[in-house]
Amino acid sequence: MEILQSINDQLVEYLGKPSLLHPDDLETPFSQFSALNIAPSPQDISFVDAIVSERHSQLSVLGLQIESVDSAIRKLADIRTKLDDNSAHVRESLLAHQALTSPALRIPPEVLGEVFYHCLPKTPYITPRDVECPMVLTRVCRHWRAVALSTPHLWSSFSIPLQKTACEEYRNGCEAWLARAKSIPLTIRILNDIIFDADPTLISSLALWLRPIITRCDDLWWHGPSLPALFTPEIQPEIETTPALPLEQLRVTTHRDILSIHLPGSAIRLRVASLQCLNYDLESLDGITLPWAHLTELHVHFALFSPTVFLQLLMGCTHLHTLIASCLSADDVQLGLLRGLASGSLTHPTLRRLEVKVIRAGLDELFNVLALPALEELDVCFCYRERDEWPHPAFMGMIRRSGCTLAKLTVRSNKRAVPYFDEYVKAMPGLAVSTSAIYPRRG
């Protein structure tokens, strides 16, 4: 430190000396000759040559001084580099010791793990990314990494594209991720993006790999075509060795394949199911086996949805609270079957919310069959705007027969129901009625 201060003092002193050249010091009687384009006389040439010689000597001296300064600058730059390095080390030590007294360091690991959990992406099915939680939490410090890796809920959600799982390294990564979830149930989205003509051996190995993962799920979303030997009766003996599958919510969506799924009787905890295949007409439940009697909420969305299958579902789902279905469609055969059933022949004691989308006639026949004593909310949407009649007599017959306390009625894309709204409000005090064309009306 003393050496650097001494150097600085000497530089200040040097700059203060009057020994440095000034432009006036270089003035001679001949300085203006070149500007005026005047040639010196023969007797003056010897004086000019002396001046030139003197300037050469001065340049040599200045050159040596400049070299000395450049050398000093290089040495000072080296000194600056060393000082910067020392400063970085000191700063690192400072931050490390400051962290020892940080309140964040005294947060109990279980509380810190809960904070981490609330930092997860909002989507229920996490796609691993280095710049997002939970991966980014493992790159902050050793303590955070240890807490993150030991918090199972951070690793219980995962999105699996099957095409990538053909790579053994990717499978190992998935297994390492899910192993951190330990014994807690998993929330998994599986995207079947494998090409149709994939190697059968690969398909079989993937099904074998997925089965133990599926048996750990309480929330499963399968998107894409069914995988042979996975959601089929062949695996029932293997899975039924499990006392009870933790699966509580199931979602199956596909656009290119007939929906086919078989869950064994051990899935007794399943409460919410959503089935969607918008390119397929659902005319039978032969390809679908679920623990229907345990469901409380069911979503079914198909290109066309048979009313007889709709009634089948109501008969099988004895504890259902919510049913959302589209698109109900009755052809002449279906209409004949519905008209052959007695009025109120199907009573469902627990259904509270019914939402249906109708694409053809048959809604009035369906209302005639049903008795829904627990119904609180009914939402009917007509696919063809203003084309079909609103089945007023059948609707009122179902309401009287059911004896339910309907709280909300929504009729979409059918203004023909509007003239009856006042009558409904008088018959059911407290009823809120609305259509997509008007504002809600309350009794």
Side-chain angles (χ1 to χ4, degrees):
M1 182 65 187
E2 293 180 359
I3 295 176
L4 294 177
Q5 184 62 49
S6 174
I7 293 173
N8 182 69
D9 293 342
Q10 291 181 38
L11 290 174
V12 172
E13 181 182 354
Y14 180 78
L15 291 173
K17 287 182 178 180
S19 59
L20 294 178
L21 283 176
H22 190 273
D24 292 342
D25 298 336
L26 302 177
E27 288 294 328
T28 68
F30 307 101
S31 296
Q32 302 299 320
F33 278 31
S34 59
L36 299 175
N37 198 23
I38 299 175
S41 62
Q43 59 269 28
D44 291 333
I45 289 178
S46 60
F47 294 103
V48 172
D49 290 340
I51 293 171
V52 170
S53 177
E54 182 184 4
R55 296 293 179 266
H56 279 298
S57 298
Q58 291 172 327
L59 283 176
S60 298
V61 172
L62 290 172
L64 293 174
Q65 292 176 341
I66 290 173
E67 288 182 5
S68 297
V69 170
D70 288 341
S71 176
I73 290 175
R74 287 193 293 270
K75 291 179 174 61
L76 288 172
D78 292 339
I79 293 173
R80 173 58 187 264
T81 300
K82 293 180 180 180
L83 293 175
D84 286 340
D85 291 342
N86 291 340
S87 177
H89 295 321
V90 171
R91 186 177 292 106
E92 183 179 352
S93 177
L94 168 66
L95 295 176
H97 286 80
Q98 278 185 333
L100 295 176
T101 60
S102 170
L105 196 63
R106 297 193 292 273
I107 298 176
E110 59 274 13
V111 176
L112 187 59
E114 187 67 20
V115 173
F116 288 171
Y117 178 75
H118 288 283
C119 295
L120 292 176
K122 298 303 180 183
T123 173
Y125 311 99
I126 295 177
T127 299
R129 294 186 177 91
D130 290 342
V131 295
E132 291 184 356
C133 293
M135 293 297 293
V136 72
L137 298 173
T138 66
R139 291 171 164 78
V140 176
C141 64
R142 292 180 181 177
H143 177 59
W144 278 30
R145 177 179 176 82
V147 172
L149 293 179
S150 61
T151 304
H153 286 283
L154 298 181
W155 312 96
S156 62
S157 172
F158 201 66
S159 184
I160 304 176
L162 287 189
Q163 197 169 48
K164 289 186 177 180
T165 59
C167 172
E168 185 177 356
E169 183 179 355
Y170 185 81
R171 287 198 216 180
N172 293 338
C174 293
E175 291 170 1
W177 178 291
L178 298 178
R180 297 169 192 150
K182 299 181 181 178
S183 61
I184 68 171
L186 303 177
T187 298
I188 299 293
R189 175 181 181 261
I190 301 175
L191 171 62
N192 186 3
D193 51 357
I194 297 178
I195 56 177
F196 284 106
D197 57 350
D199 181 6
T201 303
L202 172 63
I203 298 296
S204 178
S205 68
L206 288 180
L208 188 64
W209 179 73
L210 285 171
R211 287 175 194 171
I213 295 177
I214 291 176
T215 59
R216 295 178 55 193
C217 292
D218 68 350
D219 183 337
L220 174 63
W221 177 12
W222 179 277
H223 179 72
S226 300
L227 197 64
L230 184 62
F231 293 121
T232 57
E234 295 93 280
I235 69 167
Q236 181 172 357
E238 179 178 331
I239 290 186
E240 285 190 342
T241 58
T242 304
L245 293 176
L247 190 63
E248 297 178 1
Q249 182 167 317
L250 172 67
R251 183 179 179 186
V252 180
T253 57
T254 181
H255 302 289
R256 303 181 300 177
D257 191 26
I258 297 175
L259 190 144
S260 175
I261 181 171
H262 174 85
L263 284 182
S266 58
I268 58 175
R269 298 179 183 175
L270 186 64
R271 295 295 179 267
V272 180
S274 178
L275 310 175
Q276 176 180 301
C277 185
L278 300 180
N279 293 330
Y280 178 65
D281 298 345
L282 186 65
E283 299 177 352
S284 168
L285 295 176
D286 291 345
I288 306 174
T289 304
L290 295 176
W292 302 111
H294 296 282
L295 296 181
T296 59
E297 183 175 333
L298 177 62
H299 301 243
V300 280
H301 303 284
F302 292 84
L304 296 177
F305 188 85
S306 165
T308 54
V309 174
F310 180 86
L311 297 178
Q312 263 186 282
L313 289 174
L314 285 179
M315 289 187 288
C317 301
T318 54
H319 292 85
L320 204 61
H321 294 163
T322 300
L323 175 58
I324 300 176
S326 65
C327 294
L328 279 177
S329 172
D331 56 20
D332 292 338
V333 175
Q334 294 288 330
L335 289 174
L337 292 174
L338 290 173
R339 290 164 183 164
L341 298 175
S343 176
S345 58
L346 196 159
T347 299
H348 196 289
T350 63
L351 190 66
R352 299 172 187 169
R353 181 183 176 218
L354 175 60
E355 183 177 326
V356 292
K357 199 170 185 179
V358 184
I359 199 169
R360 290 180 186 166
L363 185 60
D364 48 354
E365 286 83 1
L366 196 61
F367 282 166
N368 284 330
V369 174
L370 295 176
L372 307 173
L375 189 64
E376 298 174 357
E377 182 177 345
L378 175 63
D379 190 317
V380 181
C381 178
F382 291 83
C383 294
Y384 292 100
R385 183 179 294 272
E386 318 304 342
R387 188 193 69 175
D388 300 312
E389 291 290 338
W390 169 250
H392 168 67
F395 169 74
M396 287 303 297
M398 180 185 71
I399 294 298
R400 295 190 188 98
R401 187 167 55 249
S402 301
C404 60
T405 306
L406 192 64
K408 184 176 181 181
L409 170 65
T410 304
V411 181
R412 306 178 191 275
S413 302
N414 196 325
K415 296 180 182 178
R416 300 184 187 189
V418 175
Y420 302 104
F421 281 2
D422 288 336
E423 178 182 342
Y424 298 159
V425 169
K426 291 178 182 178
M428 294 169 278
L431 174 68
V433 292
S434 66
T435 180
S436 55
I438 65 171
Y439 294 103
R441 185 183 308 175
R442 286 187 177 273

